Amino acid sequence: MKLRDLLKDVRMKEIRADMEAELEDICYDSRKAAPGTVFVAIRGFETDGHKYIASAAERGAECLVCEEAPECAIPYVIVDDSREALALMSRNLFGDPASEMTVIGVTGTNGKTTTTYLLKLLLEVTRDAKVGLIGTNGNMIGAELIHTERTTPESYELQKLFREMADAGCTHVVMEVSSHSLVLHRVAGIRFAVGVFTNLTQDHLDFHKTMGEYAAAKALLFSMCGRAVINRDDEWAQFMLDRCECPVLTFAEREPSDLMARDIQLSASGVEFTAAYGGGSEHIKLGIPGLFSVYNALGVIGCALCLGIGMHESALALSGARGVKGRVEVVPTDGDYTILIDYAHTPDALENVLRSMRAVTHGRVVALFGCGGDRDRTKRPIMGRIAAENADFVIVTSDNPRTERPEDIVADITAGLEGTSTPHEVIVDREEAIEWAIGHHQPGDVIVLAGKGHEDYQIIGHEKRHMDEREIVAGILKKRKMYK
């Protein structure tokens, strides 16, 4: 592809390269530079790609896209923003594959994964569509699961994945759109048919610094959409609505909205409610417990309406949903108690899942959780306080400590338990904590293992170590059976 075509729509400041030069590929890692490639120098969090320009040139890179003139002799183009340039160049390289499919983006703090999975199911059932999915639990091309490291991949990998999806016959793509991906231009150049806003609560303040910055990052999605679907009950809804540059469909249980949930019934097996829209109504049944499931279902139904799918069709599709791995996931036990695995790792998500279980539990609600290291410390005591207020017993343990001492993270959490009457136990080793919880259960208890969800690893230092809570529980139950 000619350099001129690669740089279509990129904001350029200075050109010192042959725009007719033929290039084969793009790289942003100097180690992948080779003859026929253009190297894009990106400023990262740990290093700056501009430091590796000479290395890329030595490996054969034929052109450079950067934000400042290089010191070595290599053709170059200076751009306003290298990250944005990488996204647009990647889109151009792979032939703008997203334009060949209907792309739906879901953003918010909680509920993104469940919403995307429900949308995928709905499109498959109602439109017999082959659907691509991109998100926290992994990427999917139809039924094929592809492991991922990030909620939203870097722009080059994202556009490559779009091309694979389009070539495989996908007609739709449903993707989680993280605040990081919006601020860092990973999704630049994509036109979303519909963007869905679930909610906004405290998270990622180690990156965004303030809730205002975090909200502004999420709102960027609604400048890239044909239609927006907004949760009107969320306190940040008006912030999002003020920034929408497209027609909006709102949904809610409390606030007057286009799509309303009425006559809500909650149980341990799921939720039922009446969805009201445009003078019509439909009974909705979803086999995923918790009030948050009502909001997830409303977001899905609202998105479907924007795509021309009626509520009756949506109701039939949602009735067949059976939940998502790591989201209020029931794990088999050896007695009259229940173990749930849930990804809740924010204050709001932890409160939601504990309150939901409180409403349907005859015994105690036991909360077992930790907080991630090298992340927002301010939410740790808040989550400790929330656990104390919404559970009958709290077990504070480790999550992904990363480079922090697990004991220090636990101390931050337990500060929020001070002054409360809720009994608690501190067991830093997560596997030991789970075994203690099972060994000390009482009849009718619901033990919520919060924070890890779908993850099958624990990050200690910079190392990922295998740790799957399903396997841990199964191993503990097997050991218990042996010693009974």
Side-chain angles (χ1 to χ4, degrees):
M1 178 177 282
K2 293 184 186 298
L3 181 59
R4 180 184 305 282
D5 297 326
L6 268 181
L7 292 169
K8 178 186 176 185
D9 297 331
V10 174
R11 294 178 294 163
M12 295 175 280
K13 297 168 70 175
E14 183 180 349
I15 300 171
R16 291 287 184 270
D18 180 4
M19 296 293 278
E20 301 303 314
E22 290 284 348
L23 295 159
E24 297 175 3
D25 204 356
I26 303 166
C27 64
Y28 57 93
D29 182 337
S30 63
R31 293 168 295 187
K32 296 182 179 180
T37 62
V38 54
F39 175 64
V40 183
I42 292 175
R43 301 189 195 280
F45 300 109
E46 297 180 3
T47 188
D48 184 348
H50 290 79
K51 296 179 180 179
Y52 301 94
I53 289 172
S55 174
E58 289 173 5
R59 292 175 181 268
E62 296 184 17
C63 184
L64 170 68
V65 171
C66 53
E67 294 177 11
E68 59 186 49
E71 295 181 358
C72 64
I74 182 174
Y76 66 88
V77 176
I78 297 180
V79 296
D80 282 343
D81 189 306
S82 293
R83 286 187 175 277
E84 182 183 55
L86 176 63
L88 297 174
M89 292 170 67
S90 299
R91 178 200 66 183
N92 298 335
L93 177 70
F94 291 106
D96 194 7
S99 67
E100 301 172 22
M101 302 174 287
T102 299
V103 183
I104 300 161
V106 181
T107 198
T109 305
N110 303 309
K112 296 189 299 296
T113 299
T114 300
T115 299
T116 54
Y117 271 78
L118 291 177
L119 278 168
K120 183 175 187 292
L121 171 68
L122 186 147
L123 289 165
E124 289 168 342
V125 171
T126 66
R127 292 296 178 264
D128 194 25
K130 185 168 185 178
V131 183
L133 182 142
I134 301 172
T136 310
N137 276 22
N139 303 327
M140 298 183 74
I141 300 178
E144 180 187 359
L145 180 64
I146 304 166
H147 180 70
T148 183
E149 295 292 331
R150 293 172 170 154
T151 299
T152 312
E154 187 54 81
S155 57
Y156 178 90
E157 285 73 24
L158 177 60
Q159 293 293 339
K160 183 179 180 182
L161 181 58
F162 278 150
R163 174 43 62 201
E164 292 172 1
M165 289 176 171
D167 289 350
C170 289
T171 56
H172 296 72
V173 177
V174 185
M175 64 181 293
E176 297 179 43
V177 185
S178 68
S179 55
H180 290 70
S181 72
L182 288 158
V183 171
L184 299 176
H185 300 298
R186 291 179 193 152
V187 293
I190 300 170
R191 186 65 180 172
F192 294 88
V194 184
V196 181
F197 171 67
T198 59
N199 52 65
L200 195 79
T201 59
Q202 183 173 340
D203 197 17
H204 301 306
L205 294 192
D206 53 304
F207 179 77
H208 295 292
K209 307 307 178 189
T210 68
M211 285 298 293
E213 287 185 19
Y214 183 33
K218 294 289 190 185
L220 290 172
L221 175 63
F222 303 108
S223 64
M224 307 166 65
C225 296
R227 295 287 301 273
V229 177
I230 304 290
N231 175 6
R232 196 70 179 86
D233 279 346
D234 189 80
E235 63 179 309
W236 289 92
Q238 192 60 51
F239 185 98
M240 300 298 161
L241 290 167
D242 290 343
R243 287 155 180 78
C244 284
E245 300 180 9
C246 59
V248 179
L249 185 153
T250 57
F251 65 88
E253 176 208 352
R254 302 186 306 271
E255 294 292 327
S257 297
D258 302 311
L259 174 63
M260 298 288 297
R262 296 172 180 158
D263 306 321
I264 296 171
Q265 300 175 49
L266 306 177
S267 70
S269 60
V271 298
E272 294 186 51
F273 64 95
T274 298
Y277 174 79
S281 64
E282 190 71 36
H283 180 74
I284 306 297
K285 185 175 182 179
L286 178 62
I288 306 174
L291 181 61
F292 49 83
S293 292
V294 174
Y295 284 95
N296 290 340
L298 286 173
V300 170
I301 295 166
C303 182
L305 286 168
C306 290
L307 296 172
I309 300 170
M311 286 201 297
H312 183 67
E313 290 181 278
S314 292
L316 291 175
L318 291 175
S319 67
R322 291 293 175 265
V324 178
K325 182 179 180 182
R327 272 65 179 178
V328 202
E329 178 186 351
V330 179
V331 181
T333 67
D334 60 350
D336 54 356
Y337 64 103
T338 302
I339 295 177
L340 297 177
I341 292 177
D342 193 81
Y343 191 47
H345 63 285
T346 67
D348 184 67
L350 184 63
E351 183 174 7
N352 280 341
V353 70
L354 294 180
R355 282 190 174 183
S356 296
M357 293 308 104
R358 174 75 283 148
V360 297
T361 300
H362 300 295
R364 302 178 305 166
V365 174
V366 178
L368 183 152
F369 75 103
C371 289
D374 301 334
R375 298 293 186 268
D376 177 17
R377 289 187 60 181
T378 65
K379 72 179 183 181
R380 296 172 186 172
I382 296 172
M383 291 180 68
R385 174 70 60 169
I386 284 171
E389 292 174 348
N390 294 281
D392 300 296
F393 196 95
V394 176
I395 302 170
V396 182
T397 186
S398 187
D399 194 302
N400 291 320
R402 298 183 178 87
T403 64
E404 286 193 68
R405 291 180 69 247
E407 294 80 4
D408 293 339
I409 300 173
V410 166
D412 287 341
I413 297 170
T414 54
L417 293 166
E418 293 177 5
T420 69
S421 59
T422 306
H424 72 274
E425 190 78 21
V426 174
I427 305 173
V428 175
D429 183 279
R430 195 171 181 100
E431 186 167 349
E432 290 180 14
I434 295 171
E435 185 162 11
W436 192 93
I438 292 173
H440 290 78
H441 80 268
Q442 296 176 12
D445 280 357
V446 172
I447 302 170
V448 180
L449 310 182
K452 299 296 293 174
H454 63 282
E455 294 178 354
D456 58 2
Y457 59 83
Q458 187 175 41
I459 304 174
I460 300 176
H462 296 287
E463 179 187 355
K464 267 190 179 182
R465 302 181 184 179
H466 181 77
M467 189 185 81
D468 188 321
E469 291 185 329
R470 298 151 198 79
E471 295 174 4
I472 290 172
V473 170
I476 293 168
L477 297 183
K478 183 177 181 181
K479 185 165 61 173
R480 281 165 57 85
K481 186 177 181 181
M482 289 172 59
Y483 288 99
K484 278 186 177 179

